[in-house]
Amino acid sequence: MTVNSVGIVGAGQMGNGIAHVFALAGFDVKLTDISDDALKAAVALIDRNLDRQVGKGAIDAAEKSAAMQRISTTPVLTELGQSDLIIEAATERETIKQAIFEDLVPHLKPETILTSNTSSISITRLASRTDRPEKFMGFHFMNPVPIMQLVELIRGIATDEPTFRACQDVVKKLGKTSTASEDFPAFIVNRILMPMINEAIYTLYEGVGSVQSIDTSLKLGANHPMGPLELADFIGLDTCLAIMNVLHDGLADTKYRPCPLLTKYVEAGWLGRKSQRGFYDYRGEVPVPTR
C-alpha cells in the first residue's frame, strides 16, 4: 500500500494542522469542510504558519511554495473518494463521524485506507459502520500538529497488518514518531492525561488551590511546560469533558467521573481559549484566572 494522496475531513484546528504537515512532506492534500469560510481560513492559517517556519529557517521559501501548491480544497465530501488515505478530523461526536464515513464509502477506491483522528471514540465501532473495517484505523495527531512529534496509531479489532504498516510508513514520511495503541477508551495519551487534568479541576473545585497555584505547582514542581488548567483551556474544556465521559462510560470506573466544575464551565460556554474564557479569561492583554 503506497500512499501519495490524502483527503482530510474537517478544516478546524486539527484538520488544518494535518493538511500542513502532509503537504510539507510531499503528499497531495485535498481538504474538505461544510463551511467555505472554514476552508479559506484554514488555507490562510497554513500559509501564515509556513511563513513562520521560513522565518525560523526550518524550511525555505521554495518548500513553502511547493507545500501550498499541493493543497486543494472542496466543500464536497465525496470528492475525497479517490484519495489513497482519508483522515477524518471532524467534531468529536460519534454520530457525526459515522455519517461522514457512510457518505464517503460509496465513492472510495477499493484500496483506500480510512482513518479517524478521534482522541477517544472506539475505532472498532467506527470501522463497523464502513465497508472496510480491515482498512480502518485510528490516526491520532497531537495538537498543535506541526509541532508535536507523536502520532498514536490505533488498530480496531479487524484492522489488518498491511494497513497498520502503511500508516506507520506515512508517519515516518511526516518526520514524526508513531506509537501503537489497542482500541480501549481514550487510547494511551488521553487515558493518562485527561484524568490528571480532571484531578486538577477537582483540586480547584474542592478549594485546595487556586487556578494560579495549581498551574504554578505543576509547572515548577513536576517540570510540566504548561499547567493542567492552562492545558485544559488550550485543548478545549468541551473536548476534555467529552473524553472524560468516554472514559467514565467505557470503563465504568468512578475514578473517571468528570468533575462537576468542568461540566459547569462547559454549560456556561466557557470552553477555554477558543471561546476567550475558561479557567483563564483571555479577553485582555494577559490571561487572568477566573477563579
Side-chain angles (χ1 to χ4, degrees):
M1 293 182 180
T2 302
V3 174
N4 296 307
S5 59
V6 181
I8 299 166
V9 183
Q13 189 176 40
M14 296 304 294
N16 76 66
I18 295 168
H20 174 140
V21 297
F22 270 95
L24 197 54
F27 294 88
D28 293 323
V29 175
K30 191 178 287 287
L31 181 63
T32 189
D33 198 283
I34 56 173
S35 165
D36 279 329
D37 288 343
L39 288 172
K40 290 174 185 173
V43 171
L45 181 58
I46 293 167
D47 189 76
R48 290 196 301 274
N49 286 339
L50 287 168
D51 271 340
R52 191 173 293 117
Q53 287 181 285
V54 172
K56 291 178 178 177
I59 61 173
D60 60 34
E63 288 174 302
K64 180 219 162 172
S65 177
M68 290 302 299
Q69 289 174 21
R70 294 187 191 105
I71 300 171
S72 62
T73 64
T74 176
V76 182
L77 175 67
T78 55
E79 288 186 7
L80 269 58
Q82 295 305 298
S83 303
D84 299 326
L85 169 68
I86 291 177
I87 301 173
E88 170 274 314
T91 304
E92 190 73 351
R93 284 174 54 191
E94 188 165 349
T95 52
I96 290 174
K97 294 178 186 294
Q98 286 174 345
I100 287 167
F101 291 125
E102 286 171 2
D103 287 346
L104 268 173
V105 160
H107 304 275
L108 299 177
K109 300 188 296 184
E111 64 272 22
T112 296
I113 296 172
L114 276 179
T115 69
S116 175
N117 184 57
T118 179
S119 54
S120 60
I121 296 168
S122 167
I123 297 303
T124 298
R125 199 162 60 238
L126 288 173
S128 71
R129 302 293 291 268
T130 76
D131 67 341
R132 61 195 67 209
E134 73 285 351
K135 294 187 186 304
F136 195 106
M137 282 199 67
F139 209 114
H140 182 216
F141 287 87
M142 306 296 123
N143 184 36
V145 179
I147 295 171
M148 300 295 279
Q149 290 301 301
L150 182 70
V151 179
E152 281 184 312
L153 295 179
I154 305 100
R155 279 183 276 212
I157 196 169
T159 307
D160 65 24
E161 192 64 18
T163 298
F164 177 70
R165 294 297 176 199
C167 289
Q168 271 192 321
D169 288 344
V170 167
V171 174
K172 285 180 185 175
K173 288 176 184 173
L174 296 178
K176 297 188 181 293
T177 300
S178 63
T179 55
S181 170
E182 294 303 314
D183 185 24
F184 288 97
F187 318 131
I188 294 172
V189 172
N190 283 320
R191 172 76 176 262
I192 297 166
L193 175 64
M194 286 302 160
M196 184 198 76
I197 287 174
N198 195 51
E199 191 62 27
I201 300 169
Y202 266 114
T203 305
L204 177 66
Y205 177 61
E206 294 168 5
V208 179
S210 66
V211 168
Q212 194 70 57
S213 62
I214 291 166
D215 276 351
T216 300
S217 294
L218 267 293
K219 282 192 282 189
L220 301 184
N223 204 28
H224 290 190
M226 193 181 290
L229 302 176
E230 184 185 1
L231 179 57
D233 275 358
F234 181 77
I235 293 166
L237 302 192
D238 51 341
T239 300
C240 293
L241 179 58
I243 295 170
M244 286 309 302
N245 280 327
V246 166
L247 281 165
H248 192 226
D249 295 343
L251 298 171
D253 192 323
T254 55
K255 72 180 180 181
Y256 298 116
R257 182 172 71 97
C259 180
L261 184 60
L262 174 59
T263 302
K264 191 62 66 180
Y265 268 61
V266 173
E267 287 175 345
W270 292 19
L271 308 180
R273 285 181 178 271
K274 62 186 172 185
S275 67
Q276 295 294 294
R277 276 193 292 187
F279 292 110
Y280 292 84
D281 189 327
Y282 300 92
R283 292 174 296 177
E285 289 186 13
V286 178
V288 178
T290 55
R291 289 178 80 87

